[in-house]
Amino acid sequence: QVQLVESGGGLVQPGGSLRLSCAASGSVSSRVVMGWYRQAPGKQRELVADITSGGSTNYADSVKGRFTISRDNAKKTVYLQMNSLNVEDTAVYYCNVRGPYDPPSFGSWGQGTQVTVSS
């Protein structure tokens, strides 16, 4: 049983920044991959970024150079620093925690947090 609590979403102007946090609790292995996904209206859920327990990262091409994923293993928390936001970043952002050899669908999901980029 894993619980994921997300925070940090909200409304921001184009070019602005937000920092998302996701704290995991319950039966969470130290080896888990933690990541962020997003889903915009009319689109499928897509990977934004993920990070292994050792700190290896993976980013969608659309966010490289603008977003940074990090984690605090002691706190079992993953972060997503989002800079230079644009309207195409508007979506519900979901935290995901999975085993290192499992697909995201086998993992646990947060409730989602809305990010809206608008002037």
mmCIF file of all heavy atoms in Angstrom, residues 15-40:
data_model
loop_
_atom_site.group_PDB
_atom_site.id
_atom_site.type_symbol
_atom_site.label_atom_id
_atom_site.label_comp_id
_atom_site.label_asym_id
_atom_site.label_seq_id
_atom_site.Cartn_x
_atom_site.Cartn_y
_atom_site.Cartn_z
ATOM 1 N N GLY A 15 6.132 32.006 -19.084
ATOM 2 C CA GLY A 15 7.469 32.387 -18.677
ATOM 3 C C GLY A 15 7.746 32.215 -17.202
ATOM 4 O O GLY A 15 8.904 32.342 -16.782
ATOM 5 N N GLY A 16 6.723 31.919 -16.428
ATOM 6 C CA GLY A 16 6.873 31.762 -14.997
ATOM 7 C C GLY A 16 7.338 30.380 -14.594
ATOM 8 O O GLY A 16 7.645 29.529 -15.432
ATOM 9 N N SER A 17 7.367 30.153 -13.278
ATOM 10 C CA SER A 17 7.882 28.914 -12.720
ATOM 11 C C SER A 17 6.956 28.354 -11.656
ATOM 12 O O SER A 17 6.238 29.096 -10.982
ATOM 13 C CB SER A 17 9.266 29.133 -12.094
ATOM 14 O OG SER A 17 10.218 29.565 -13.049
ATOM 15 N N LEU A 18 6.983 27.043 -11.507
ATOM 16 C CA LEU A 18 6.305 26.336 -10.435
ATOM 17 C C LEU A 18 7.180 25.179 -9.994
ATOM 18 O O LEU A 18 7.973 24.651 -10.787
ATOM 19 C CB LEU A 18 4.945 25.790 -10.874
ATOM 20 C CG LEU A 18 3.775 26.759 -11.024
ATOM 21 C CD1 LEU A 18 2.579 26.030 -11.623
ATOM 22 C CD2 LEU A 18 3.399 27.364 -9.676
ATOM 23 N N ARG A 19 7.016 24.767 -8.746
ATOM 24 C CA ARG A 19 7.722 23.611 -8.215
ATOM 25 C C ARG A 19 6.706 22.635 -7.638
ATOM 26 O O ARG A 19 5.994 22.962 -6.693
ATOM 27 C CB ARG A 19 8.720 24.022 -7.138
ATOM 28 C CG ARG A 19 9.555 22.872 -6.572
ATOM 29 C CD ARG A 19 10.586 23.399 -5.594
ATOM 30 N NE ARG A 19 11.348 22.350 -4.925
ATOM 31 C CZ ARG A 19 12.452 21.787 -5.399
ATOM 32 N NH1 ARG A 19 12.934 22.167 -6.583
ATOM 33 N NH2 ARG A 19 13.088 20.845 -4.710
ATOM 34 N N LEU A 20 6.638 21.439 -8.211
ATOM 35 C CA LEU A 20 5.740 20.402 -7.745
ATOM 36 C C LEU A 20 6.471 19.465 -6.797
ATOM 37 O O LEU A 20 7.654 19.182 -6.980
ATOM 38 C CB LEU A 20 5.177 19.590 -8.917
ATOM 39 C CG LEU A 20 4.486 20.366 -10.036
ATOM 40 C CD1 LEU A 20 3.947 19.385 -11.079
ATOM 41 C CD2 LEU A 20 3.374 21.239 -9.489
ATOM 42 N N SER A 21 5.748 18.974 -5.800
ATOM 43 C CA SER A 21 6.290 18.014 -4.855
ATOM 44 C C SER A 21 5.363 16.819 -4.753
ATOM 45 O O SER A 21 4.145 16.954 -4.876
ATOM 46 C CB SER A 21 6.462 18.638 -3.464
ATOM 47 O OG SER A 21 7.355 19.725 -3.490
ATOM 48 N N CYS A 22 5.928 15.658 -4.518
ATOM 49 C CA CYS A 22 5.162 14.438 -4.318
ATOM 50 C C CYS A 22 5.838 13.623 -3.226
ATOM 51 O O CYS A 22 6.969 13.158 -3.409
ATOM 52 C CB CYS A 22 5.070 13.631 -5.617
ATOM 53 S SG CYS A 22 4.291 12.005 -5.432
ATOM 54 N N ALA A 23 5.147 13.458 -2.116
ATOM 55 C CA ALA A 23 5.669 12.709 -0.979
ATOM 56 C C ALA A 23 5.031 11.329 -0.930
ATOM 57 O O ALA A 23 3.808 11.214 -0.923
ATOM 58 C CB ALA A 23 5.407 13.462 0.317
ATOM 59 N N ALA A 24 5.855 10.304 -0.898
ATOM 60 C CA ALA A 24 5.392 8.924 -0.843
ATOM 61 C C ALA A 24 5.442 8.402 0.583
ATOM 62 O O ALA A 24 6.343 8.731 1.352
ATOM 63 C CB ALA A 24 6.234 8.030 -1.749
ATOM 64 N N SER A 25 4.473 7.570 0.917
ATOM 65 C CA SER A 25 4.452 6.923 2.222
ATOM 66 C C SER A 25 3.886 5.522 2.069
ATOM 67 O O SER A 25 3.334 5.169 1.032
ATOM 68 C CB SER A 25 3.641 7.732 3.236
ATOM 69 O OG SER A 25 2.291 7.851 2.823
ATOM 70 N N GLY A 26 4.031 4.723 3.108
ATOM 71 C CA GLY A 26 3.597 3.340 3.058
ATOM 72 C C GLY A 26 4.743 2.425 2.665
ATOM 73 O O GLY A 26 5.908 2.719 2.919
ATOM 74 N N SER A 27 4.417 1.326 2.015
ATOM 75 C CA SER A 27 5.408 0.311 1.649
ATOM 76 C C SER A 27 6.126 0.711 0.365
ATOM 77 O O SER A 27 5.818 0.224 -0.730
ATOM 78 C CB SER A 27 4.738 -1.056 1.499
ATOM 79 O OG SER A 27 3.671 -0.999 0.554
ATOM 80 N N VAL A 28 7.102 1.600 0.501
ATOM 81 C CA VAL A 28 7.846 2.122 -0.637
ATOM 82 C C VAL A 28 9.278 1.597 -0.593
ATOM 83 O O VAL A 28 10.013 1.882 0.352
ATOM 84 C CB VAL A 28 7.854 3.660 -0.649
ATOM 85 C CG1 VAL A 28 8.579 4.176 -1.888
ATOM 86 C CG2 VAL A 28 6.439 4.203 -0.593
ATOM 87 N N SER A 29 9.669 0.864 -1.605
ATOM 88 C CA SER A 29 11.031 0.359 -1.704
ATOM 89 C C SER A 29 12.000 1.485 -2.010
ATOM 90 O O SER A 29 11.660 2.453 -2.697
ATOM 91 C CB SER A 29 11.117 -0.710 -2.791
ATOM 92 O OG SER A 29 12.462 -1.028 -3.100
ATOM 93 N N SER A 30 13.221 1.360 -1.535
ATOM 94 C CA SER A 30 14.245 2.352 -1.825
ATOM 95 C C SER A 30 14.686 2.319 -3.281
ATOM 96 O O SER A 30 15.338 3.258 -3.745
ATOM 97 C CB SER A 30 15.454 2.146 -0.911
ATOM 98 O OG SER A 30 16.036 0.865 -1.121
ATOM 99 N N ARG A 31 14.346 1.281 -4.026
ATOM 100 C CA ARG A 31 14.774 1.126 -5.412
ATOM 101 C C ARG A 31 13.787 1.692 -6.434
ATOM 102 O O ARG A 31 14.028 1.592 -7.632
ATOM 103 C CB ARG A 31 15.015 -0.348 -5.735
ATOM 104 C CG ARG A 31 16.070 -1.023 -4.882
ATOM 105 C CD ARG A 31 16.366 -2.413 -5.416
ATOM 106 N NE ARG A 31 15.163 -3.223 -5.518
ATOM 107 C CZ ARG A 31 14.921 -4.094 -6.489
ATOM 108 N NH1 ARG A 31 15.817 -4.265 -7.460
ATOM 109 N NH2 ARG A 31 13.809 -4.797 -6.490
ATOM 110 N N VAL A 32 12.702 2.279 -5.978
ATOM 111 C CA VAL A 32 11.647 2.684 -6.898
ATOM 112 C C VAL A 32 12.088 3.786 -7.843
ATOM 113 O O VAL A 32 12.950 4.612 -7.522
ATOM 114 C CB VAL A 32 10.377 3.139 -6.154
ATOM 115 C CG1 VAL A 32 9.767 1.977 -5.380
ATOM 116 C CG2 VAL A 32 10.669 4.317 -5.217
ATOM 117 N N VAL A 33 11.490 3.770 -9.023
ATOM 118 C CA VAL A 33 11.585 4.877 -9.957
ATOM 119 C C VAL A 33 10.430 5.827 -9.665
ATOM 120 O O VAL A 33 9.282 5.392 -9.524
ATOM 121 C CB VAL A 33 11.518 4.393 -11.409
ATOM 122 C CG1 VAL A 33 11.541 5.573 -12.379
ATOM 123 C CG2 VAL A 33 12.664 3.438 -11.706
ATOM 124 N N MET A 34 10.715 7.108 -9.585
ATOM 125 C CA MET A 34 9.703 8.114 -9.323
ATOM 126 C C MET A 34 9.637 9.050 -10.523
ATOM 127 O O MET A 34 10.660 9.411 -11.101
ATOM 128 C CB MET A 34 10.021 8.901 -8.047
ATOM 129 C CG MET A 34 10.308 8.021 -6.842
ATOM 130 S SD MET A 34 10.614 8.940 -5.307
ATOM 131 C CE MET A 34 8.922 9.336 -4.831
ATOM 132 N N GLY A 35 8.423 9.425 -10.893
ATOM 133 C CA GLY A 35 8.290 10.242 -12.081
ATOM 134 C C GLY A 35 7.059 11.119 -12.079
ATOM 135 O O GLY A 35 6.193 11.025 -11.204
ATOM 136 N N TRP A 36 7.026 11.989 -13.079
ATOM 137 C CA TRP A 36 5.900 12.880 -13.310
ATOM 138 C C TRP A 36 5.346 12.658 -14.706
ATOM 139 O O TRP A 36 6.108 12.575 -15.679
ATOM 140 C CB TRP A 36 6.307 14.348 -13.152
ATOM 141 C CG TRP A 36 6.636 14.731 -11.752
ATOM 142 C CD1 TRP A 36 7.865 14.760 -11.165
ATOM 143 C CD2 TRP A 36 5.702 15.149 -10.751
ATOM 144 N NE1 TRP A 36 7.768 15.170 -9.864
ATOM 145 C CE2 TRP A 36 6.451 15.413 -9.580
ATOM 146 C CE3 TRP A 36 4.328 15.329 -10.722
ATOM 147 C CZ2 TRP A 36 5.854 15.850 -8.396
ATOM 148 C CZ3 TRP A 36 3.736 15.757 -9.549
ATOM 149 C CH2 TRP A 36 4.492 16.018 -8.401
ATOM 150 N N TYR A 37 4.038 12.566 -14.804
ATOM 151 C CA TYR A 37 3.313 12.455 -16.052
ATOM 152 C C TYR A 37 2.279 13.567 -16.105
ATOM 153 O O TYR A 37 1.917 14.136 -15.080
ATOM 154 C CB TYR A 37 2.637 11.087 -16.171
ATOM 155 C CG TYR A 37 3.615 9.936 -16.266
ATOM 156 C CD1 TYR A 37 4.361 9.536 -15.171
ATOM 157 C CD2 TYR A 37 3.786 9.247 -17.468
ATOM 158 C CE1 TYR A 37 5.267 8.490 -15.256
ATOM 159 C CE2 TYR A 37 4.681 8.197 -17.563
ATOM 160 C CZ TYR A 37 5.415 7.821 -16.459
ATOM 161 O OH TYR A 37 6.309 6.780 -16.563
ATOM 162 N N ARG A 38 1.802 13.870 -17.301
ATOM 163 C CA ARG A 38 0.786 14.899 -17.414
ATOM 164 C C ARG A 38 -0.242 14.515 -18.466
ATOM 165 O O ARG A 38 0.037 13.762 -19.390
ATOM 166 C CB ARG A 38 1.399 16.264 -17.740
ATOM 167 C CG ARG A 38 2.050 16.362 -19.113
ATOM 168 C CD ARG A 38 2.759 17.703 -19.259
ATOM 169 N NE ARG A 38 3.367 17.857 -20.577
ATOM 170 C CZ ARG A 38 4.143 18.884 -20.922
ATOM 171 N NH1 ARG A 38 4.405 19.840 -20.038
ATOM 172 N NH2 ARG A 38 4.654 18.945 -22.152
ATOM 173 N N GLN A 39 -1.430 15.061 -18.308
ATOM 174 C CA GLN A 39 -2.515 14.806 -19.237
ATOM 175 C C GLN A 39 -3.297 16.095 -19.458
ATOM 176 O O GLN A 39 -3.839 16.668 -18.513
ATOM 177 C CB GLN A 39 -3.445 13.707 -18.721
ATOM 178 C CG GLN A 39 -4.501 13.280 -19.720
ATOM 179 C CD GLN A 39 -5.203 12.003 -19.307
ATOM 180 O OE1 GLN A 39 -5.203 11.634 -18.136
ATOM 181 N NE2 GLN A 39 -5.789 11.322 -20.262
ATOM 182 N N ALA A 40 -3.337 16.530 -20.701
ATOM 183 C CA ALA A 40 -4.099 17.697 -21.095
ATOM 184 C C ALA A 40 -5.435 17.245 -21.678
ATOM 185 O O ALA A 40 -5.566 16.108 -22.135
ATOM 186 C CB ALA A 40 -3.326 18.524 -22.120
#
